[in-house]
Amino acid sequence: MTNIAIVGPGAVGCTIAHDLLPNFPSLALLGRREQKLTYEEDQEPHTITHLNVSSIYQHNSKVDILFIAVKIPQLDEVIKELQHLIHKDTIIILAQNGTGQLSRIPHKHAYQAVVYISGQKQEQIVTHFRDHKILLQDSKHTRALCDLFSNTKLEISLVEDINQAIWYKLLVNLAINTVTALTRQSAKVLKIDGIELLCKRLLTEGIEIAKVEGANFDKNIIDEIMDIYRGYPDHMGTSMYYDIIAGNALEIEGIQGFLYRKAHEHKLFTPTLDTIYPLLLAQQKH
C-alpha cells in the first residue's frame, strides 16, 4: 500500500486531497491542528464534501509520497517536521506558487510542481474554482507517480523542461496577483481602465527577465496570458488577493521579489516592477 500525505489544508492541498481520496482513502491531510473542512465546487455540479485534517505534529507514520502545499512563508515550519514524515525513498512534491524554494528541502527525491489549481479558503470552507493540474519534470519517479494517479481527478503532466514551465507560471502569477493584491479586488479589477495595460507592462518586463535567465517565449505569450486572465470569473481572486484580505503573509519573495532581484542582478530596466514591489512590501503586516 502506498502511504500518502498532504501538508497544507488550503485550496491547493484540499483539492489534491479531494482528487486522490476516492482511490487512496488512507491519505492524510495535515495541518497545524485537527479540523473538519467543507470542500465545495464553484462550477457545476456544485458538489460539497467534507475533509478531515490531522495535526502534522501528531502524525508519526512515514509516507511514501508527500505533497507540500503550504505557502512560502509557512515552508520553514514544515521543513522542521519533515524527518518524522519521510524515509529515504519518499517522493516529495513541492506544490506552491513562486519559485526558488526547492533547494531548501533537504531530500534527494524532491520535485518542484507547477500548480494550476485555483481556489479559496475562508475559515472552514474551501471553494474550488477551476483546474486540477500539476506539471512535473519527467523522470523515473514522476512517471511512476503519474501512473499511480492516472485514474484520479488529479491531472499530472510531465514536461521535459520544468524550468520553462516554472517561468511560464511565474509570469501568469506576476501580473494578476499584483493587481488583485494592490487593489484588493477580485478578477473583476481587469475591467477597470488601465489595469490591463499595467498587466501587460509587468508581463513585458517579466519576459525580459525570463529571457536572460534562459527561458524564451513566443511573441504571442502576452496575449495568451491576458486571455487566461479574461477567462477568470469576476468573483475569483488570486492567492495573494486572499492572503492580503485575510491579513496573512504574502508570497511576494517567490514571485515579485524573485523577479525584482533577478532584474537587478542582470541590470535590467524594469520600472513597473520596481514600483509595484515596494508597494506590495508595504502591504505586509509586521
Side-chain angles (χ1 to χ4, degrees), residues 159-172:
V159 298
E160 292 296 327
D161 185 356
I162 194 65
N163 186 60
Q164 185 80 6
I166 289 170
W167 273 99
Y168 183 87
K169 181 64 189 302
L170 195 59
L171 293 174
V172 172

Side-chain angles (χ1 to χ4, degrees), residues 153-216:
K153 287 188 69 175
L154 183 65
E155 303 170 25
I156 297 181
S157 295
L158 304 182
V159 298
E160 292 296 327
D161 185 356
I162 194 65
N163 186 60
Q164 185 80 6
I166 289 170
W167 273 99
Y168 183 87
K169 181 64 189 302
L170 195 59
L171 293 174
V172 172
N173 283 331
L174 169 61
I176 193 67
N177 272 276
T178 296
V179 298
T180 54
L182 287 178
T183 64
R184 297 175 183 249
Q185 293 195 47
S186 61
K188 66 183 180 182
V189 73
L190 292 168
K191 296 180 178 179
I192 296 176
D193 288 346
I195 294 295
E196 284 205 2
L197 179 59
L198 174 57
C199 288
K200 290 177 180 178
R201 286 176 174 168
L202 275 171
L203 291 173
T204 298
E205 293 178 6
I207 290 165
E208 287 303 307
I209 300 167
K211 184 176 180 180
V212 298
E213 284 286 309
N216 294 292

